[in-house]
């Protein structure tokens, strides 16, 4: 990070943005200070601080476009339980570009511990369409974007299992990032 630095992008996670965004080094202001372009503005940052921001797992793996996904289910089993809520936000270069939030009506009862955990009552999804009716919107929203989720393997298993029950073959082509795994790596 300094003179002669190539024009590759870095991840910036500091005070100038609410979420991690890509920035580029556009110059130097002395031996230890990098001049960066972030969110359309130019800022100075200690090169060591910018280098430290690159150490996180997400920083090394952050794709240009990704969808942050959260599922709520009737229980904690990927095979037996069903999706009651799907929410996602798509980001491109660290900027929010779209949102999707849908309830779906399960065919099995919602467990009381899930209501306590999520705040979703059994009455809330009663008038919602079933998952097979909302899946086209989910599929269109996700496309081939990378998926970021907390406990991503579980969420993806639940989604694939529920769709299999409706004879919908869905195998996500995109990569995923699991914030649970990233947290364990960053803070063992």
């Amino acid at each position: 990070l300094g003179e002669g630095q190539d024009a590759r992008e870095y991840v910036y996670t500091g005070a100038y943005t609410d979420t991690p965004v890509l920035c580029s080094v556009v110059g130097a202001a002395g031996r230890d200070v990098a001049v960066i372009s972030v969110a359309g503005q130019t800022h100075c940052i200690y090169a060591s601080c910018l280098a430290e921001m690159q150490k996180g797992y997400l920083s090394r793996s952050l794709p240009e476009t990704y969808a942050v996904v959260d599922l709520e289910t009737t229980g904690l089993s990927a095979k037996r339980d069903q999706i009651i809520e799907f929410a996602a936000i798509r980001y491109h270069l660290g900027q929010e570009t779209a949102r999707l939030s849908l309830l779906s009506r399960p065919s099995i009862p919602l467990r009381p511990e899930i209501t306590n955990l999520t705040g979703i009552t059994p009455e809330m999804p009663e008038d919602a369409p079933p998952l097979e009716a909302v899946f086209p919107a989910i599929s269109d929203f996700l496309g081939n974007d990378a998926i970021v989720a907390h406990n991503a393997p579980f969420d993806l298993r639940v989604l694939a299992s529920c769709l299999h029950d409706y004879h919908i073959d869905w195998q996500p082509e995109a990569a995923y990032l699991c914030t649970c795994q990233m947290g364990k790596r960053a803070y063992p």
Side-chain angles (χ1 to χ4, degrees):
L1 302 175
E3 281 190 58
Q5 176 64 46
D6 62 13
R8 81 179 184 93
E9 294 179 318
Y10 295 88
V11 173
Y12 176 81
T13 58
Y16 304 120
T17 65
D18 293 332
T19 60
V21 296
L22 294 177
C23 72
S24 56
V25 175
V26 295
R31 188 170 161 252
D32 298 326
V33 178
V35 179
I36 60 171
S37 175
V38 59
Q41 298 181 349
T42 304
H43 302 282
C44 291
I45 186 172
Y46 283 108
S48 59
C49 292
L50 186 57
E52 189 66 26
M53 290 176 191
Q54 308 314 301
K55 290 183 179 177
Y57 179 78
L58 179 59
S59 299
R60 290 192 309 263
S61 305
L62 189 65
E64 284 188 11
T65 303
Y66 56 95
V68 178
V69 174
D70 185 36
L71 298 180
E72 302 302 344
T73 62
T74 56
L76 301 175
S77 170
K79 291 186 179 186
R80 291 187 309 269
D81 290 302
Q82 297 177 3
I83 297 168
I84 53 174
E85 182 181 34
F86 173 90
I89 302 173
R90 180 182 302 115
Y91 290 91
H92 181 73
L93 299 176
Q95 301 298 311
E96 180 181 326
T97 60
R99 285 178 176 244
L100 180 66
S101 180
L102 302 167
L103 288 175
S104 63
R105 183 180 63 246
S107 62
I108 61 174
L110 181 62
R111 295 191 181 149
E113 61 268 21
I114 297 302
T115 296
N116 292 337
L117 178 68
T118 66
I120 298 172
T121 65
E123 297 77 29
M124 291 171 73
E126 279 181 352
D127 295 328
L131 182 60
E132 70 266 21
V134 298
F135 182 71
I138 294 170
S139 179
D140 288 346
F141 186 88
L142 293 176
N144 287 324
D145 293 345
I147 295 170
V148 178
H150 195 72
N151 199 4
F154 175 79
D155 282 357
L156 294 176
R157 278 195 315 271
V158 168
L159 191 53
S161 176
C162 287
L163 294 170
H164 181 265
D165 292 345
Y166 294 112
H167 308 289
I168 299 170
D169 184 28
W170 180 76
Q171 299 297 325
E173 301 296 323
Y176 70 86
L177 299 171
C178 179
T179 59
C180 184
Q181 293 171 358
M182 289 186 292
K184 288 177 183 176
R185 287 184 182 143
Y187 301 100

